[in-house]
Amino acid sequence: INENSDSNNEPEINFNELKEKYTSELEEIKNMGFDDEDEILKALFVSKGSVTIAINKLINKNWFIYYLYIKV
């Protein structure tokens, strides 16, 4: 058990390792206009490096946040 982990049970993500592992995928997604590297790397981590799936996750997340914003 890692005592430093958050209580929300999310896996720890080593962003430096992911940045090295998904260098080309990260740049490809950033070139499409996404700029939050941590969010991109989380999406790549969950999608096991699939750019298409990662983009869908980023778009769906951003769409939902936008939807919440305009509902207020």
Side-chain angles (χ1 to χ4, degrees):
I1 299 176
N2 187 344
E3 294 176 15
N4 294 329
S5 65
D6 294 336
S7 60
N8 59 8
N9 294 327
E10 286 187 15
E12 283 190 33
I13 298 175
N14 184 327
F15 290 103
N16 289 328
E17 282 182 17
L18 291 177
K19 203 170 187 176
E20 287 181 26
K21 184 175 183 178
Y22 298 123
T23 303
S24 63
E25 294 89 345
L26 175 62
E27 287 306 311
E28 184 177 347
I29 293 172
K30 285 175 71 176
N31 288 335
M32 294 179 190
F34 296 93
D35 57 0
D36 187 334
E37 279 196 5
D38 288 352
E39 288 301 314
I40 296 169
L41 290 169
K42 285 179 192 176
L44 285 167
F45 174 73
V46 171
S47 67
K48 297 180 171 73
S50 169
V51 170
T52 303
I53 294 171
I55 290 169
N56 282 323
K57 291 188 175 304
L58 292 166
I59 289 171
N60 288 332
K61 178 183 180 192
N62 290 335
W63 178 85
F64 185 69
I65 291 169
Y66 176 73
Y67 176 77
L68 291 176
Y69 176 75
I70 61 172
K71 285 283 275 189
V72 172

